[in-house]
Structure formats: C-alpha cells, structure tokens
Amino acid sequence: MAFAAVLLAAVFLFFGLTTARPSGRVVPTHTPDLANGETLFHAGGCIGCHKPSSGTGDPGLPTGGASFPTPIGTFYPGNLTPDLDTGIGRWTAPQFLEAMTEGVSPDGRHYFPAFPYTSYRNMWVEDLLDLHAYLMSLPPARSSQRDPDVAMIGLARRTMGLWKRLAFRVQGFRLDPDRSAAWNRGAYLVQAPGHCGECHTPRNAIMIAADARRLAGGPHPGGEGEVPNLRDLLGRGRYKDVSDLTLALQFGETFGYDKLSSGGMAEVQMNLARLPETDLRAISEYLLSLR
Amino acid sequence: MRVTTFRMFIALAAVAAVVSIAGATATGTTAIKERHEAMEDIGQAMKALAAIAKKEAPFDAGVVKASAETIANLLEKAADLFPDGSDKGDVETWAKAEIWTDRENFNKDLQSAHAAAVEMQSVTDEAAFGAALGAVGNGCKTCHDKYRRPKQ
C-alpha cells in the first residue's frame, strides 16, 4: 500500500517535472531584418542538419530529410521552410522562440537536444525574430517528416524535461564590458547561434556540457574520433594570428588548413565562409583569446 | 602416431594463422604508409597553390599546372591505396570504415576530386584560378569530411 502510494507519487512527480509549460515570454515589437536572419542561418549552419537527403530536393533549402546519427539514436531534422503541412508555415513567432529557446514544439512536446536549443537559447531575441522572418521568406517545399529512431521514444522525450532542468543555465548571452566589441561579437557567435560547444565542449555522463572545460574538445558525437580542443590555439602553434584563423574559417582545406575537414567540420566551415569577414575575424579574436 | 600427426596439424595451422594475420597487417601497414605519403605530396602541391591564392606568391601558370598534375596523378591512383584489409595496420590510420562499406560513393567522391584537379591543369590566368582551386578544395573537403576520422 505504502509502496503503491510512493510509486504513484513518483509518477505524478515525473509528469509534473517533465510537462512542457509555456515560458510566458513577451515578444518585443521588431521590424525583421532578413539579411541579418540569413547571416544567422549560416552562422548556425542550419542547413547542415536540416538538408534534404542526398540526391533529393534543393540541397540549399532546409527541408530536412537527411539523417543525423547521435549516440542515442538517429534523428531526421524537420522542414524549416514555410510549407504549411510539413514545414514551419503555420508557426507563429512566439512558437518559433519557444522552440529555439525552450526546446518545446508548438504542440507542447520536448525536442531532443540534438536540436541545439541549449545554445540557441542564448541568442538575442531580435536575432531569433530575424531568423524566423528569413526562414519564412524561403520558398515553401514539402518533405516527408520522420520521427527519430530512439528507444522508448515517448518516455525518452518526456525525460528531456528533466534533462533540461539540469542542463539549462541562466538564459541569454552576457556581454563582457572588459573586452572589445569584436571579441563579444565573436563570443556570441560561437556560444549562441554557432553552437560550437555542442561538439567542441566535452559532456558529462548525462550529456550536459562541462562549462569549466568550454571548447576543450572531446570524443566526436558521431562515435568516431576526437573533436579538437579550441583552447590555446596560439600557444599550441595551430594558428599564427587572427588573420590566419580567419583565412582558415573562410577557405579551410582549400587554403591548406586540413584540420578543418573531418567529422563534419568541412561542412561547418563552408557555412561559416558565408558570414561577413568582420564576423569571422570576431570569431577568430574570441577563439584565440581562450587559454 | 596419430596424436603426433594431429599435434603437427595444429601447430601448422597455428603457424599459418599467424603468418596470414601478419600478412594482412603488413598489407595494411604498407597501404597506410603509401597513402599517407600520397596525401603529404598532395598537401605540398596544395600549399604551393594556396600560397598563390593568399597572394604570398605571384601567380605562375607553370606552378599551377605542375601542382594540378601532381594532385591529379595521385588522386587517380588513390582508390588503389585503400585495398581491402588496410583499415588497420601497425601505424595509425584515420580512414573510416565507410571507405570499405560504401566503396561506390567513396570512389565517386574521389573521381570528382580528380576531375577538379584535371580541370585545373588548363588554368592559365589568375581570373579562373580561384574557382578552380575552390573546386579542388571542395574535393578534398568532401572526402575528408565523410571518410576521415577527426583527430586532436
């Protein structure tokens, strides 16, 4: 009897703790800047995961379809074009913000953090609105949507509610007034839209990023090989200076920087190459400052 | 007598097994070393081209042609540098299993890289050089992204 009561309480507690609740965020009035939205689209490399499977559809449109293997299962990232039925065409701006910052879908389900909202939740709200407007300006394209191949998906999805309670830090990017504007821009691009830490920061046993070892590298999430450490790149002689790393981010292996093309980094680099040079210099300034 | 024959058979079998394993490792080791050398040579040729692209060296059609030839020749025989059983050896390799499990696509990607290098051999002016180098670079990136294990 007592056991049943405890079990019942545990079930209630689990459901209580894992039910997605609206954040109640107030969306500011904002005139969208599509060009900024496009920059953020490339900074995030959205197309990298949301691309169509090879040989189908326009490879430049984020219709989803391609598979994304992770240690917990294979994901099939969704359609980010404004198609009404298979894309985000019916999403409101607040729903988009909820997905990007809370990892909650318009129908109130938790997304798995393979969708790196843990980083995106640090983006400026204006940037998120610009990105939303940019995605809504893309040509709508239908695509087939598929649930992830994850064991016990219903339970696993709810458990993400608990995981978020542990993994989420205070939301938002904090400017460092002692650093230059470029450094802050670089830090923001790396930590928020760029979500570099999702692979370059090691995780603990329950897959939470170890903040103390930010960008220190670790095992590749795909299961094979090592993600390089981004700390002390200067001291370790990896790059000469900000200009050198900027060239590496712009051209990668084409200019002989062969460290930038394994494990998916070539694709990341080619997306980053579409950012304005000032942004790439900012990223370089921030990265080279890490000790 | 019978027991002795049996023992001899076992011993021979063991020797054969050891020899064949050693043989496989030797094949792997040789192939790994060979392809590392080929990649180093391609890297050197790419360095000469990158120097031009970075404007550290003047545009020189001769250097471009020679480098493009080196790369094309090495890429042409690259498929042979990944024989079956060379996924491991006595030296470390970063080659991923997909090379052998998805041979068809691997060869296709190698061929497009090779085609880009052949294309670059006919570049004679600086205007066409950037795009040609970009295409060769994309060839390198595509294969390495898919088929090379990332390392520190």
Side-chain angles (χ1 to χ4, degrees):
Chain A
M1 185 63 200
F3 175 74
V6 168
L7 191 67
L8 196 65
V11 168
F12 269 107
L13 186 65
F14 180 76
F15 273 80
L17 287 173
T18 59
T19 299
R21 291 189 181 77
S23 66
R25 170 204 287 271
V26 178
V27 180
T29 317
H30 174 69
T31 310
D33 177 345
L34 291 183
N36 184 46
E38 185 177 2
T39 296
L40 292 159
F41 180 78
H42 297 312
C46 309
I47 193 71
C49 289
H50 293 272
K51 64 188 164 222
S53 49
S54 71
T56 66
D58 179 347
L61 269 186
T63 57
S67 61
F68 183 71
T70 77
I72 71 155
T74 301
F75 290 83
Y76 302 91
N79 182 357
L80 302 184
T81 75
D83 181 59
L84 290 177
D85 299 320
T86 66
I88 62 164
R90 292 183 205 275
W91 290 29
T92 62
Q95 285 175 334
F96 182 76
L97 293 186
E98 212 65 4
M100 293 289 283
T101 62
E102 304 301 323
V104 175
S105 69
D107 61 3
R109 293 187 302 162
H110 293 297
Y111 287 117
F112 289 93
F115 163 38
Y117 46 78
T118 33
S119 295
Y120 297 154
R121 67 199 310 271
N122 296 322
M123 288 172 69
W124 306 124
V125 67
E126 292 79 7
D127 277 359
L128 288 165
L129 293 171
D130 289 348
L131 177 59
H132 179 238
Y134 172 71
L135 293 174
M136 293 300 278
S137 77
L138 295 174
R142 282 190 75 82
S143 75
S144 56
Q145 298 299 295
R146 195 171 155 185
D147 272 340
D149 296 325
V150 171
M152 294 191 292
I153 184 155
L155 182 65
R157 206 182 268 291
R158 281 208 81 99
T159 307
M160 290 306 111
L162 280 183
W163 184 85
K164 285 182 196 175
R165 286 174 181 273
L166 299 168
F168 278 2
R169 306 278 181 269
V170 180
Q171 190 181 349
F173 179 77
R174 275 161 303 284
L175 290 163
D176 183 342
D178 296 332
R179 301 281 195 163
S180 71
W183 185 95
N184 276 296
R185 172 71 177 164
Y188 170 73
L189 288 170
V190 165
Q191 291 170 24
H195 67 281
C196 308
E198 299 288 338
C199 289
H200 283 278
T201 298
R203 292 171 188 267
N204 68 14
I206 54 166
M207 301 290 281
I208 294 174
D211 277 353
R213 296 173 62 210
R214 178 177 278 168
L215 301 175
H220 192 276
E224 268 190 285
E226 291 287 312
V227 181
N229 178 4
L230 302 184
R231 285 167 173 251
D232 198 23
L233 289 169
L234 280 176
R236 290 185 290 127
R238 286 294 168 88
Y239 298 97
K240 283 188 295 221
D241 51 26
V242 168
S243 298
D244 192 30
L245 179 51
T246 303
L247 276 179
L249 294 172
Q250 277 176 313
F251 297 100
E253 194 162 12
T254 303
F255 275 21
Y257 297 99
D258 89 326
K259 286 281 178 198
L260 282 100
S261 44
S262 305
M265 189 61 203
E267 192 171 28
V268 172
Q269 177 269 314
M270 287 189 272
N271 287 323
L272 287 176
R274 303 180 73 163
L275 294 187
E277 191 175 330
T278 45
D279 279 344
L280 294 175
R281 288 192 71 86
I283 290 174
S284 302
E285 185 176 332
Y286 167 68
L287 289 179
L288 294 186
S289 78
L290 298 171
R291 289 287 170 266
Chain B
M1 184 62 199
R2 239 189 207 168
V3 171
T4 321
T5 315
F6 183 68
R7 274 193 187 153
M8 207 130 113
F9 174 74
I10 292 288
L12 276 175
V15 168
V18 168
V19 168
S20 80
I21 287 168
T25 317
T27 314
T29 307
T30 311
I32 293 166
K33 281 185 180 160
E34 261 175 6
R35 63 191 184 230
H36 283 179
E37 255 167 54
M39 292 299 166
E40 283 296 323
D41 291 347
I42 292 176
Q44 286 305 316
M46 281 302 281
K47 235 173 230 170
L49 297 168
I52 296 173
K54 289 191 210 172
K55 309 234 179 279
E56 290 168 3
F59 178 79
D60 181 334
V63 171
V64 172
K65 190 168 165 39
S67 308
E69 272 172 11
T70 302
I71 296 170
N73 290 341
L74 289 166
L75 285 179
E76 196 172 7
K77 60 172 193 182
D80 299 335
L81 298 178
F82 296 85
D84 285 343
S86 68
D87 54 332
K88 47 182 157 303
D90 293 335
V91 283
E92 193 171 6
T93 174
W94 289 272
K96 287 174 73 173
E98 281 88 334
I99 292 174
W100 294 276
T101 58
D102 193 9
R103 194 80 208 194
E104 199 180 322
N105 280 317
F106 176 68
N107 286 346
K108 219 180 275 173
D109 287 335
L110 264 181
Q111 276 155 19
S112 20
H114 175 253
V118 169
E119 189 82 2
M120 189 155 72
Q121 292 175 25
S122 53
V123 165
T124 50
D125 63 294
E126 206 162 353
F129 171 67
L133 179 62
V136 173
N138 281 352
C140 305
K141 292 176 193 179
T142 305
C143 269
H144 286 157
D145 226 16
K146 289 191 214 167
Y147 306 111
R148 184 171 65 171
R149 210 152 38 86
K151 57 177 168 177
Q152 264 310 327

